[in-house]
Amino acid sequence: MPGMVLFGRRWAIASDDLVFPGFFELVVREAVCMQILFPVSLGCLTIVITSSRYRIVFFVLFCFVVFTIPAPFPPQRGTICNPGPRKSMSKLLYIRLALFFPEMVWASLGAAWVADGVQCDRTVVNGIIATVVVSWIIIAATVVSIVIVFDPLGGKMAPYSSAGPSHLDSHDSSQLLNGLKTAATSVWETRIKLLCCCIGKDDHTRVAFSSTAELFSTYFSDTDLVPSDIAAGLTLLHQQQDNIRNSQEPAEVVSHTPGSSQEADLDAELENCHHYMQFAAAAYGWPLYIYRNPLTGLCKIGGDCCRSRTTDYDLVGGDQLNCHFGSILQTTGLQYRDFIHISFHDKVYELPFLVALDHRKESVVVAVRGTMSMQDILTDLSAESEVLDVECEVQDRLAHKGISQAARYVYRRLIHDGILSQAFSVAPEYRLVIVGHSLGGGAAALLATMLRAAYPQVRCYAFAPPRGLWSKALHEYSQSFIVSLVLGKDVIPRLSVTNLEDLKRRILRVIAHCSKPKYKILLHGLWYELFGGNPNNFPTELDGGDHEILTQPLLGEQSLLTRWSPAYSFSSDSPLDSSPKYPPLYPPGRIIHLQEEGTSGRFGCCPAAQYSAKWSHEAEFSKILIGPKMLTDHMPDILMWALDSVVSDRAACVSCPAQGVSSVDVA
């Protein structure tokens, strides 16, 4: 940190990233050296002389290579943002790369010598074979590493490292900045297209590629972070957050007993969430059902996979339709006749969904599927804002473009294809309920808003919806008919472009203030994530507050993109200026937060924790929390288990006189 400059270009690797590769290569080479540099028998004089010469040259090359391997020093010196003590690394790497040529030549000669097949002492032959194999493996690994750390934009950044942008007038610098942004977007678009090469190339897909590329180029182009810096920063942030939480005073508890109506409302909505989560999970089809029931799932739906009901039931698009139908029946407990429409058609901006009659709650349920394919990921990442076309009195109607387009697709299918009309012709007295998990939860919230003019009694239950969904005005408008459910530290309900910018700034600040080298941060962080410990054991502030040793800025001096970045001044606590394309967005509706009270292991593999439920304000989800459960808390099976636990515990404690006091905090 910053990225190393070699051969006149920047690479996506820092000088302190070479500690672990260097140690690994050193151990491997010493092991091979010990195997080959031992006395051999005197049989086959020609082979002995040849092998002796081979070993002498090998030993000389070994000595040169060992002295240029970047371990254990100097990569261990300095800190992430103080690479001064590691300034000799570039020279060592030049020498090390130059030694690859004689090493390749000698490995080739060793391979040819072994290929002669002269019979002799097998220990000699085995030693030479081991040397040749290890040499070629190291050479191949180096080539692969060079390809991985190659930065396509590195050549565009390096020429400005010395003079900087100050010598350019405003017109030239503006043109140069726009050119660099265009190049960064083009590089990201190429990467995304390669990653999603199996997806079709219709108009929606091309728009999603461009949208995602622009998002990534905007987020990553204004810093000189390498991947290991981000990993170290996330590790330090997790420990810092745990340290702050442990040092805080217990939250103030309200001195009065909450109203019975508030508690009754929470209990009623929790019971509704518990019921409708089954439909949100059913929308995922057979993969989630098999995942939740690994031993019995295949047996229960195997018979349905072999049947053909497409002529009797409205199944549209997708593979293994009958397997999906079987898993949906098992998850919801409904009958075949209760389903009006099931679609597993999956494209960019077009989500699978189902429509069913829920006789228990007397409702027509529309369940929208969450993220489960590359097409869905592109929908998620189309994060710029667009005006939501709805009939309501709200003026500011900005919403997440990708999710808005997906909700508009489901809306067209429900209204224009007459699916809802068909459902209400069967059960005209039922009410409309729209549900979904993750991406499906966000689409469900937008869909409910679109349908509210025609169905004023519509209700929506969004499970773990993304935070960056729509404007503050729409968030307030949705309070009366949308309920969102969030579990623990789930990252998705805290995820928005604004929160990611805040996370980037916090990463920059915490690694700037850490006085430990990166390899110690990563080793300690790995131990902390796996086994826990005291977060105070690893400080995240410079000893004595001496910030003058930060000889290099954390943000890349080599790129004009960083000079005018709002994140360049990382010491500022002022909020980032929001981009017109990425304004601050908010989650849908009222939010129920399920919080863990017990401990169930650091990764939530064995759910044994107890959970409490409370109404929460959206401000409680304005920062991304780092921890092992930030991903597992988003999984639908974990969320369903937590809901089961909360609903059963609250039902068992109905007679407790002070049931709600401990779970209601002052906002």
Side-chain angles (χ1 to χ4, degrees), residues 9-214:
R9 66 176 300 116
R10 178 194 179 276
W11 299 77
I13 189 172
S15 53
D16 52 358
D17 288 337
L18 302 174
V19 175
F20 298 115
F23 268 117
F24 178 76
E25 183 180 358
L26 187 62
V27 170
V28 170
R29 287 190 178 277
E30 287 182 351
V32 174
C33 183
M34 293 300 101
Q35 180 177 353
I36 193 172
L37 296 178
F38 54 79
V40 298
S41 63
L42 295 180
C44 302
L45 184 59
T46 303
I47 301 301
V48 171
I49 295 174
T50 307
S51 64
S52 299
R53 291 175 180 173
Y54 184 88
R55 288 186 296 156
I56 291 172
V57 176
F58 165 80
F59 182 73
V60 173
L61 280 175
F62 172 81
C63 293
F64 277 107
V65 168
V66 165
F67 281 112
T68 58
I69 290 178
F73 299 105
Q76 297 182 21
R77 300 171 182 167
T79 60
I80 294 178
C81 52
N82 181 27
R86 303 189 297 271
K87 60 184 179 181
S88 62
M89 278 303 305
S90 57
K91 297 177 182 178
L92 278 177
L93 284 177
Y94 285 134
I95 298 173
R96 177 69 187 87
L97 291 173
L99 286 174
F100 271 118
F101 179 73
E103 190 174 9
M104 289 176 64
V105 171
W106 206 242
S108 301
L109 290 176
W113 179 82
V114 172
D116 286 342
V118 180
Q119 296 297 322
C120 193
D121 191 344
R122 293 302 304 171
T123 56
V124 177
V125 177
N126 291 338
I128 301 301
I129 291 175
T131 307
V132 172
V133 170
V134 170
S135 297
W136 280 111
I137 289 176
I138 292 175
I139 292 169
T142 302
V143 173
V144 171
S145 300
I146 291 174
V147 173
I148 292 174
V149 302
F150 177 78
D151 182 1
L153 297 174
K156 296 178 175 63
M157 296 181 177
Y160 309 102
S161 59
S162 58
S166 58
H167 69 290
L168 300 173
D169 59 36
S170 59
H171 176 70
D172 291 341
S173 60
S174 177
Q175 282 188 332
L176 184 56
L177 180 63
N178 291 333
L180 288 172
K181 286 183 176 180
T182 302
T185 304
S186 176
V187 167
W188 277 107
E189 188 166 353
T190 301
R191 291 170 174 170
I192 295 166
K193 286 180 179 178
L194 289 175
L195 185 64
C196 305
C197 58
C198 298
I199 298 178
K201 297 181 179 179
D202 56 22
D203 291 340
H204 282 171
T205 304
R206 284 190 288 269
V207 171
F209 284 156
S210 299
S211 246
T212 306
E214 187 166 358

Side-chain angles (χ1 to χ4, degrees), residues 5 55 65 191 211 249 251 312 336 423 440 511 574 656:
V5 177
R55 288 186 296 156
V65 168
R191 291 170 174 170
S211 246
E249 296 293 330
D312 300 327
Y336 300 119
I511 61 179
S574 61
C656 297

Side-chain angles (χ1 to χ4, degrees), residues 323-338:
C323 291
H324 287 308
F325 202 179
S327 67
I328 291 171
L329 294 174
Q330 291 290 337
T331 303
T332 60
L334 300 182
Q335 302 297 318
Y336 300 119
R337 61 180 178 274
D338 297 328

